[in-house]
Amino acid sequence: MTDPKAIQPSELDQLPDRDPEETAEWRASLDAVTKAAGPHRAAYLMRRTLERAEGAGVALPKLLETDYVNTIPTGAEPAVDGDEELEQRITAWNRWNAAAMVTRGSKHGVGGHIATFASAAWLYETGFNHFFRGKEGDGSGDQLYVQGHASPGIYARAFLDGRLDESHLDNFRREAGGNGLPSYPHPRRLPWLWEFPTVSMGLGPISAIYQARFNRYLTSRGIKDVSESHVWAFLGDGEMDEPESTTALTLASREGLDNLTFVINCNLQRLDGPVRANFKIVQELEAQFRGAGWNVVKTLWGTAWDELFQLDTTGALVRRLREVPDAQVQTYQTRDAAYIREDFFGKDPALAEMAKLLSDDKILECFHFSRGGHEARKVYAAYKAALAHKGAPTVILAQTVKGHTLGEGFASKNANHQMKKLTVDEFKGMRDLLGLPIKDSDFVDGVVPYGHPGADSPEVRYLQERRAALGGPAPARRLHPVGPLPAPADKAFAAFDKGSGSQSVATTMAFVRLVKDLVRDKETGKRWVPIVPDEARTFGMESLFPSLGIYSPKGQTYEPVDRDQLMYYKEAKNGQILNEGITEAGSMADFIAAASSYATHGEAMIPFYIFYSMFGWQRTADQMWQLGDQLGRGFLVGATAGRTTLTGEGLQHADGHSPAIAATNPAALTYDPAFAYEVAAIVKEGLRRMYGEAAPGEDQDVFYYLTVYNEPMPQPAKPSAPGVDQGIVKGLYRFNTAESAGLTPAANAPRLQLLGSGTAIHWALKAQKLLAEEWGVAADVWSATSWTELRRDALDADAALLRGEERVPFVRQALQGAEGPVLAVSDYMRQVPDQIAQWVEQDWSSLGADGFGLSDTREAARRHFGVDAESIVVAALAQLAKRGEVQAASVKEARERYGL
C-alpha cells in the first residue's frame, strides 16, 4: 500500500498537472512568504491573487469573504456630485423631525421607532439626492422598498419638501381622524406616497427581487420598456434572518438582475439585542450573497479610520477587526477610550504600539461615530458602484450605529428599538450635535418643536431641485391616466352556459379552458400573466406551454426532451407563463408585482396564480395581506380544493379551510363555484370590476379567490330563471326546486332548502333525489357561490341600520318565502357556511369537513366527515323531525339503512 505521506498533492488532483515544475514553484513561493512574513501575509496575497483572477475572468470559485474593510478604498471614491454641506443640513432636519414626531406621538401612547432611521439617514438621503428616479420623468422611475421602521424619517423628508405639514406629523399612527400617517409603508392607507408594504419583515426582500424580475418580464414581452427602472430594497441586518429575505437570492443572480440593489443597514442590532452577538453578521451576509452570485460592496468604516489603516503595516488591525464579535463592537460604542485601548488595542503588541499614536478623541471618533453608512461620500461611492456593475444584482452592506446622533441614552443600546421618546435635555443635546438653529424658548411647555428652515431656504430649494432633476418626488405612488381595459367578447364566457352534456369536466379544467380562450383575445390577451408553482401539468395547463411559452431571460438553450410532442416544454425570452418552481412564496411575489403593475408601471396586467389550495393561503396568507395592502388586482385560484376531493393525498393536502382564511382578508373576494358557468360568470365580473368600468363607489382595488376542484362531473347548463347571474356574483341563487328536478313530491310533502357550495352541491343534488324518492321530502337546492360575500353584504346592512338606513341583506332577500329549514353543506369546515347563519330567518343547520384530512377514496372520506348524500339525508330528516314534520323514527331508520 502506498504511504499517504509520499503522495504529492498533484496526485490527489482529479485534473492532470501539465507543468508540475511550475506548480512546485508557486507552492514554494507561498511557503517562503508564510515562513518569512507569516501566515497572515500569505493569506493576504492569496486573497488579492484570487480577486485579480476573478477580475480577469479566470474561472475560479469565488472568494466568499473578504477582510472587514470597505470594498471601495478612500482613494477610489468618486467626488459627490452635489453640495455636501447642504445635504448635511437637510439630513440634520430630517433626523430632528423624525425624532420629534415619534416623541410627540408617544404622549398619545401610539409608539413609533426612532433608532432605525437614525442609523440609516444617510442611506436614504444620498439616494434621494442623487440616485432614486421619480415617476414624473421618462419610464416608470425607480421602485423603493423602504425599511418599515425607518418610516418616520421618510415622513420627515416629505415634511421638509412640502408634501406633508405639521398636522400630518402630529397624527403619526393616528389615522382614524382622516389626516393621519400610517405606522409603516402602507399603500392602502397612504396611496399617493407608499408603493410597497415592507412590514411584515422579510416580505420586502423577496418582493423586490420578483419586482425586478417582473420589470424584465414586461420589457421582454414588449408590454413596456422599463429597462431604466432600478429596484432599491432597504433592509435590516436582523431582517435577513427571515427565510423570505434570502429564499430568492439565487433567482436574482441566475437571471442577472443588475436592475436590483439591496441596501442592508448593518447596525448590528435587531429588536432585542445583537444580530450575531458572538459572530459577525456582515461577514456572514457577504459569504451568503457572494455564494449566491451577487456583487457585494461593503462600506463599513468612515474616513476617520483612514489614518488607522495607514498605520497598520503588519495587518494586525485588519486581523483584530475580523475577530472581534459584533456584540463587542456594540460595547465599544458605549465605552470610554481607556476601555477601548485595553480591550481592542491591548490584545496585540502591534496594535498597542499603534494606540500610543492615537489621542483619546481620535479613538472615540473612530469607534463612536465613524461608520461607512454615516458618510455621504462612502454611501455615494457604494451606490455608484452598484449601478455600474452589470450582469448580477448588488448588495451593499453598510455599517451604522443604531440610534446614531440621538445621544448616549440611545446609541447602540439593546433597548433602543423599544425606546419611543427623548427628553427635552436629550433633544437639546441632539440639536447642538446637529447644529440646528432651534432655541431653548422654542420648547413650549416641554413640547418638542418641529424644525423647518423655510419653504424658500437653500435646503428646501436644493432638495426640490435635486428631485426635479431625478424625475419628481420620491417615494411616490402614481396612478397613471389609463382607461379601463376593453371587455373580452362574451363568446368566451357564454361557451359554458350550455353545460358539458354527458362529458365530465372538473371546474379546474373549466377555468383553464376559459383562460385559454381569454389569452387569445386581441385586446387583452397579452395582458394575462399565468403564474404556477411547478404544478402546471397537475392543473392541465401543459397545453399552454407551446402556445404561450414559459418566460426565461435566456430563452431555450437546450432541446427539450419532449420536443416531438404536441405539448412540449417551451421556454422563451418573451414567454407569457411564469412557472416558478416549487415556491409558493416566489409565485405570490410574482403575483403581487403583476397585480400592482397598473400603478407601478401604468400597465394593467391580469395575473392569475393557480396553486394547490392547501398550499396557498395556509402558507402565504401574509403575502395575500401584503397584496391587499399594495392594492393589487387579479385572480388567485385554489385548485384541487376541498377536504375530500383529492383522493389518496391525505392530511397535509386536504384543504378544508382556505375560504375561512381568505375571509379574514378585506380585499379578497372569495368564491367557491360549483359549476363551469359559475366560474365563467365570476371571472367575467372580476374583469369588469378590477379592470373595466367600476360602478359608483365600487372598490376596484380587490382581488378574487376562486376554489376549483379536480373531480370531473357533468357540467349542467345555466338555469334560465331570472336573477341567476346576480346570484352568482352576490353569492347565492336557487339552482332548482324539487319540481324542476322532475321529482314530483306530494302536495303536502315536508320541504327544506339545501345550500351547497363547490363540489358539495353534487352531494346535495343526490340527497335531493334520495329525500324525494325514499322519504317523501321535497328539497330545493341552492348554489352558494360565496358564503363570504353574503356575510359581508349582511354586515354592510347591519352597519347601514346603525346609521338609520333600512337595508335587507341579500341572503335574506334570496331566501325570503323559502319553505322549511335550511341545511348548508360544503367541503370545508362548518364555520365557512356558518358565516351567514345569523341572517337566515329559517331554522339553520350545517354540515362540513371539520378536522384533519385523511387518505382514502372520495366516497370513504365523505362518509368519514358526514357530508355525503346519505349523511345529508339523515341531517335533513333530523331537522324536519325537530319541527314535527317527519317521524323521529325516520331518522333512526335512515341511519341504519345507510350504514351511518
Side-chain angles (χ1 to χ4, degrees):
M1 184 175 179
T2 306
D3 183 358
K5 295 180 180 179
I7 299 176
Q8 296 300 311
S10 59
E11 296 174 27
L12 298 175
D13 198 336
Q14 179 71 25
L15 301 175
D17 190 343
R18 294 186 303 172
D19 193 340
E21 198 171 318
E22 182 183 35
T23 304
E25 291 174 0
W26 277 80
R27 290 199 184 100
S29 297
L30 181 62
D31 293 343
V33 171
T34 303
K35 184 176 181 180
H40 299 297
R41 177 60 180 169
Y44 175 86
L45 291 175
M46 288 300 300
R47 283 196 297 274
R48 293 296 175 265
T49 301
L50 286 171
E51 289 170 0
R52 178 69 175 177
E54 183 179 334
V58 177
L60 287 173
K62 288 193 173 184
L63 187 68
L64 293 186
E65 185 180 315
T66 61
D67 287 327
Y68 201 67
V69 297
N70 295 350
T71 302
I72 305 169
T74 301
E77 293 168 1
V80 177
D81 180 23
D83 189 323
E84 293 186 60
E85 182 180 346
L86 274 178
E87 292 180 21
Q88 185 83 38
R89 279 152 50 188
I90 291 169
T91 306
W93 286 117
N94 291 342
R95 289 180 183 279
W96 177 272
N97 288 322
M101 173 174 56
V102 175
T103 297
R104 288 167 67 132
S106 68
K107 293 184 177 181
H108 303 286
V110 295
H113 301 289
I114 303 176
T116 294
F117 177 73
S119 65
W122 276 113
L123 302 180
Y124 291 104
E125 192 59 36
T126 303
F128 286 135
N129 285 324
H130 303 283
F131 295 96
F132 303 156
R133 297 173 68 251
K135 310 296 182 184
E136 297 171 4
D138 296 333
S140 302
D142 288 352
Q143 288 82 55
L144 306 182
Y145 288 78
V146 174
Q147 190 179 358
H149 293 139
S151 61
I154 309 303
Y155 291 139
R157 196 174 201 276
F159 168 66
L160 207 63
D161 73 8
R163 293 195 291 163
L164 296 175
D165 58 31
E166 289 192 13
S167 69
H168 290 107
L169 301 193
D170 266 345
N171 284 294
F172 172 60
R173 289 193 169 197
R174 299 170 66 208
E175 299 177 77
N179 196 35
L181 301 177
S183 52
Y184 303 125
H186 293 306
R188 185 167 285 274
R189 292 302 184 202
L190 204 61
W192 60 268
L193 181 74
W194 298 120
E195 274 195 288
F196 308 109
T198 51
V199 179
S200 302
M201 286 189 287
L203 298 188
I206 189 172
S207 296
I209 290 173
Y210 280 88
Q211 180 65 56
R213 182 172 184 260
F214 187 74
N215 290 356
R216 291 280 174 85
Y217 172 87
L218 282 181
T219 302
S220 297
R221 290 198 52 221
I223 303 292
K224 182 178 182 180
D225 184 357
V226 293
S227 55
E228 295 302 314
S229 290
H230 199 85
V231 178
W232 301 83
F234 290 84
L235 319 168
D237 47 1
E239 182 179 5
M240 299 310 295
D241 283 346
E242 291 283 5
E244 295 90 348
S245 295
T246 56
T247 189
L249 296 185
T250 53
L251 168 73
S253 59
R254 185 169 67 245
E255 300 206 358
L257 298 181
D258 50 24
N259 60 339
L260 170 68
T261 297
F262 275 16
V263 181
I264 302 182
N265 178 21
C266 297
N267 56 35
L268 313 185
Q269 290 181 249
R270 50 190 179 200
L271 308 189
D272 290 328
V275 179
R276 292 291 183 270
N278 297 297
F279 305 93
K280 301 189 79 63
I281 185 59
V282 170
Q283 301 299 85
E284 178 183 321
L285 291 175
E286 178 183 27
Q288 190 171 20
F289 277 87
R290 283 184 180 274
W294 287 53
N295 175 47
V296 179
V297 177
K298 295 195 290 190
T299 177
L300 308 180
W301 308 109
T303 52
W305 282 82
D306 288 348
E307 179 183 344
L308 276 67
F309 288 124
Q310 291 299 316
L311 293 172
D312 185 29
T313 57
T314 65
L317 176 62
V318 173
R319 290 198 301 274
R320 183 68 179 135
L321 289 174
R322 192 164 61 238
E323 70 189 20
V324 175
D326 284 352
Q328 192 62 25
V329 174
Q330 182 186 350
T331 297
Y332 294 148
Q333 177 68 34
T334 65
R335 303 302 291 268
D336 59 20
Y339 177 88
I340 298 171
R341 284 182 186 277
E342 178 181 351
D343 191 84
F344 181 83
F345 292 98
K347 302 294 185 182
D348 186 292
L351 289 180
E353 289 300 312
M354 179 191 296
K356 293 177 182 178
L357 304 175
L358 305 174
S359 67
D360 285 355
D361 287 345
K362 180 66 175 180
I363 289 175
L364 293 179
E365 180 187 12
C366 288
F367 283 84
H368 285 193
F369 300 102
S370 189
R371 299 291 189 273
H374 294 323
E375 294 189 13
R377 187 174 294 268
K378 303 291 185 185
V379 177
Y380 183 88
Y383 287 4
K384 287 278 273 189
L387 292 181
H389 188 83
K390 301 303 177 185
T394 293
V395 59
I396 295 169
L397 304 175
Q399 186 166 253
T400 64
V401 174
K402 193 167 186 177
H404 184 59
T405 73
L406 297 181
E408 293 182 359
F410 266 83
S412 279
K413 294 299 175 66
N414 279 336
N416 61 20
H417 190 78
Q418 305 303 326
M419 297 163 69
K420 312 300 182 188
K421 59 184 178 180
L422 280 72
T423 65
V424 169
D425 287 341
E426 286 172 329
F427 266 108
K428 290 178 179 178
M430 181 183 176
R431 170 201 62 189
D432 297 340
L433 177 65
L434 297 175
L436 293 172
I438 296 173
K439 302 186 292 293
D440 286 354
S441 59
D442 293 335
F443 292 80
V444 179
D445 296 328
V447 177
V448 181
Y450 294 120
H452 200 293
D456 197 40
S457 64
E459 293 95 327
V460 174
R461 288 202 309 271
Y462 179 85
L463 180 156
Q464 294 176 340
E465 289 168 1
R466 299 301 297 187
R467 288 310 318 156
L470 287 166
R477 181 178 181 271
R478 291 287 183 267
L479 276 179
H480 302 261
V482 293
L485 295 180
D490 276 340
K491 180 181 178 182
F493 305 103
F496 295 88
D497 290 351
K498 61 179 186 246
S500 65
S502 60
Q503 181 185 7
S504 292
V505 177
T507 51
T508 298
M509 296 309 303
F511 177 82
V512 172
R513 288 184 188 179
L514 175 62
V515 170
K516 286 176 66 176
D517 290 338
L518 293 175
V519 295
R520 295 191 185 104
D521 184 84
K522 292 181 179 180
E523 296 290 337
T524 59
K526 67 178 182 179
R527 297 190 177 275
W528 283 87
V529 183
I531 303 168
V532 61
D534 200 40
E535 288 280 8
R537 298 183 194 277
T538 300
F539 308 136
M541 291 174 58
E542 64 267 34
S543 61
L544 298 178
F545 288 169
S547 59
L548 300 184
I550 299 166
Y551 170 73
S552 169
K554 290 183 177 291
Q556 194 151 37
T557 60
Y558 60 93
E559 183 178 355
V561 67
D562 53 1
R563 182 63 179 86
D564 57 343
Q565 297 179 14
L566 181 62
M567 294 182 286
Y568 69 96
Y569 196 82
K570 176 187 175 184
E571 296 187 79
K573 291 182 180 180
N574 63 345
Q576 193 164 349
I577 301 170
L578 293 171
N579 192 325
E580 291 306 344
I582 305 175
T583 167
E584 286 83 7
S587 299
M588 264 309 300
D590 254 341
F591 186 89
I592 291 169
S596 53
S597 180
Y598 72 93
T600 308
H601 296 299
E603 294 288 345
M605 305 300 287
I606 311 171
F608 81 85
Y609 165 34
I610 187 167
F611 49 88
Y612 260 79
S613 63
M614 186 66 163
F615 304 137
W617 284 91
Q618 177 164 299
R619 279 195 173 186
T620 55
D622 199 11
Q623 287 178 290
M624 275 77 162
W625 202 262
Q626 176 192 7
L627 169 66
D629 192 346
Q630 200 164 314
L631 311 175
R633 305 169 184 172
F635 296 95
L636 296 174
V637 183
T640 60
R643 182 144 281 162
T644 69
T645 62
L646 192 56
T647 56
E649 293 283 4
L651 188 148
Q652 287 208 239
H653 284 67
D655 170 27
H657 51 275
S658 69
I661 304 175
T664 66
N665 191 310
L669 277 60
T670 302
Y671 287 87
D672 186 27
F675 305 122
Y677 66 81
E678 293 178 353
V679 172
I682 293 164
V683 171
K684 181 180 179 180
E685 169 64 10
L687 290 173
R688 181 205 64 79
R689 178 166 178 174
M690 295 184 291
Y691 300 97
E693 293 283 0
E698 192 172 46
D699 185 6
Q700 283 191 285
D701 298 322
V702 296
F703 59 94
Y704 282 65
Y705 176 54
L706 282 73
T707 48
V708 293
Y709 298 83
N710 72 326
E711 184 173 12
M713 301 291 289
Q715 295 296 324
K718 183 163 74 172
S720 58
V724 170
D725 286 326
Q726 179 193 39
I728 292 172
V729 171
K730 285 187 170 291
L732 182 67
Y733 69 96
R734 183 155 49 195
F735 175 72
N736 71 13
T737 63
E739 290 77 8
S740 67
L743 299 174
T744 60
N748 61 346
R751 185 176 289 269
L752 82 158
Q753 310 300 316
L754 295 178
L755 276 57
S757 70
T759 196
I761 204 162
H762 298 287
W763 323 329
L765 289 169
K766 182 179 178 182
Q768 179 190 44
K769 186 175 182 182
L770 289 173
L771 283 165
E773 294 178 350
E774 300 185 14
W775 305 99
V777 171
D780 300 337
V781 175
W782 299 69
S783 179
T785 53
S786 179
W787 309 102
T788 302
E789 288 306 297
L790 291 172
R791 175 180 174 80
R792 287 176 177 170
D793 172 80
L795 289 172
D796 288 344
D798 286 354
L801 188 62
L802 291 175
R803 298 192 299 267
E805 305 169 18
E806 284 291 340
R807 223 190 82 197
V808 179
F810 178 80
V811 63
R812 189 169 295 167
Q813 295 177 44
L815 291 171
Q816 187 173 16
E819 298 178 39
V822 169
L823 174 59
V825 61
S826 82
D827 205 11
Y828 298 96
M829 54 200 306
R830 286 176 58 182
Q831 76 177 58
V832 173
D834 284 348
Q835 292 180 87
I836 65 170
Q838 71 185 82
W839 293 282
V840 174
E841 293 181 315
Q842 293 86 347
D843 291 341
W844 172 273
S845 65
S846 64
L847 297 174
D850 287 77
F852 287 113
L854 75 166
S855 301
D856 213 311
T857 64
R858 293 185 178 114
E859 293 75 15
R862 286 162 190 167
R863 176 57 59 91
H864 170 81
F865 286 110
V867 293
D868 60 352
E870 292 79 7
S871 298
I872 294 173
V873 169
V874 172
L877 293 174
Q879 267 193 297
L880 293 169
K882 283 183 181 178
R883 297 162 57 95
E885 296 180 20
V886 300
Q887 296 294 321
S890 296
V891 181
K892 179 181 179 183
E893 182 184 348
R895 280 200 301 266
E896 292 173 350
R897 181 182 301 182
Y898 300 134
L900 295 181

